[in-house]
C-alpha cells in the first residue's frame, strides 16, 4: 500500500523546512560581512604564523627554562630579525615609561590631522574588495534560492502525483 496523503504532506513539509534551513545557512555564509570577517581572520592568522616563526622559538624556549633574557639572547644571536624585534619591543617598553616631549606631541598631532590621507587608500581598497564580493554573493544566493524553489516545486509535484 502506498503512502498516505497526510504522510506525504508531512514529508513535503519536512523537505521544505530542510531546504529553507539550507538556503538560510548558505545566504548567511555568503553574506559580504561574513566573507570579509573570514578573510580578515585569515590575514590575522598568517600574521600570527609569521610572527611566531620569528619570535616563537625564543618564547617557547624561554617559557620552558624560565630564563627569559638568556634564552632570548641565545635565540637572537642567529636571527637578526628576531634581535631587531626584541630591541624594538624593549624600546617601546622604555619609551612608555617617559612622558611625551613637545616634539612628539606635535608629530602626533600632525599624524592625527593627516590620518585620512594615510588611511584613505586602505579604506578605498576595502570598499573595492567589498564591491567585488557583493555581486558574486548575490548571484550565489540567487542561484541557491532558485534551486531550492525548484526542489520545493518538484517535491510538491511528486506529492500530488503520489496521492
Amino acid at each position: 500500500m502506498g503512502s498516505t496523503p497526510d504522510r506525504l504532506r508531512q514529508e513535503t513539509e519536512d523537505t521544505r523546512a530542510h531546504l529553507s534551513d539550507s538556503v538560510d545557512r548558505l545566504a548567511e555564509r555568503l553574506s559580504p560581512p561574513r566573507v570579509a570577517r573570514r578573510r580578515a581572520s585569515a590575514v590575522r592568522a598568517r600574521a600570527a604564523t609569521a610572527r611566531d616563526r620569528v619570535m616563537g622559538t625564543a618564547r617557547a624556549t624561554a617559557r620552558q627554562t624560565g630564563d627569559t633574557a638568556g634564552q632570548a639572547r641565545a635565540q637572537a644571536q642567529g636571527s637578526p630579525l628576531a634581535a631587531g624585534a626584541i630591541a624594538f619591543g624593549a624600546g617601546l617598553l622604555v619609551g612608555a615609561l617617559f612622558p611625551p616631549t613637545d616634539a612628539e606631541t606635535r608629530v602626533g598631532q600632525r599624524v592625527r590631522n593627516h590620518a585620512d590621507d594615510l588611511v584613505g587608500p586602505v579604506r578605498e581598497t576595502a570598499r573595492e574588495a567589498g564591491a567585488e564580493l557583493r555581486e558574486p554573493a548575490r548571484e550565489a544566493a540567487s542561484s541557491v534560492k532558485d534551486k531550492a524553489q525548484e526542489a520545493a516545486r518538484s517535491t510538491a509535484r511528486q506529492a500530488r502525483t503520489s496521492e
Side-chain angles (χ1 to χ4, degrees):
M1 184 170 179
S3 299
T4 64
D6 290 334
R7 186 171 177 203
L8 286 173
R9 282 188 195 100
Q10 183 59 43
E11 288 175 3
T12 301
E13 288 302 316
D14 291 346
T15 302
R16 283 183 184 152
H18 178 71
L19 285 172
S20 175
D21 183 49
S22 296
V23 168
D24 290 343
R25 282 187 285 142
L26 282 170
E28 176 63 23
R29 187 167 186 224
L30 295 174
S31 73
R34 291 202 41 124
V35 170
R37 259 187 256 126
R38 282 195 305 271
R39 287 201 174 180
S41 294
V43 168
R44 277 191 222 103
R46 282 192 297 256
T49 301
R51 182 192 67 221
D52 288 345
R53 271 192 221 135
V54 173
M55 298 299 292
T57 17
R59 285 188 195 145
T61 309
R63 274 192 222 119
Q64 290 170 358
T65 63
D67 182 17
T68 307
Q71 290 300 319
R73 201 172 19 257
Q75 289 294 323
Q77 285 177 353
S79 174
L81 188 57
I86 292 169
F88 180 74
L92 282 176
L93 287 173
V94 171
L97 297 174
F98 297 101
T101 63
D102 290 338
E104 290 170 334
T105 304
R106 282 192 305 271
V107 169
Q109 186 60 40
R110 269 193 235 137
V111 167
R112 270 184 244 121
N113 291 341
H114 297 290
D116 285 337
D117 297 339
L118 299 171
V119 176
V122 174
R123 187 180 299 138
E124 186 59 34
T125 302
R127 280 190 191 129
E128 289 172 4
E132 288 175 12
L133 293 174
R134 212 170 276 129
E135 190 55 34
R138 281 189 191 127
E139 289 173 5
S142 176
S143 172
V144 168
K145 180 181 173 187
D146 292 343
K147 287 181 183 180
Q149 287 173 343
E150 179 55 35
R153 283 192 291 269
S154 173
T155 303
R157 278 193 301 271
Q158 279 183 334
R160 278 190 227 116
T161 59
S162 298
E163 292 177 355

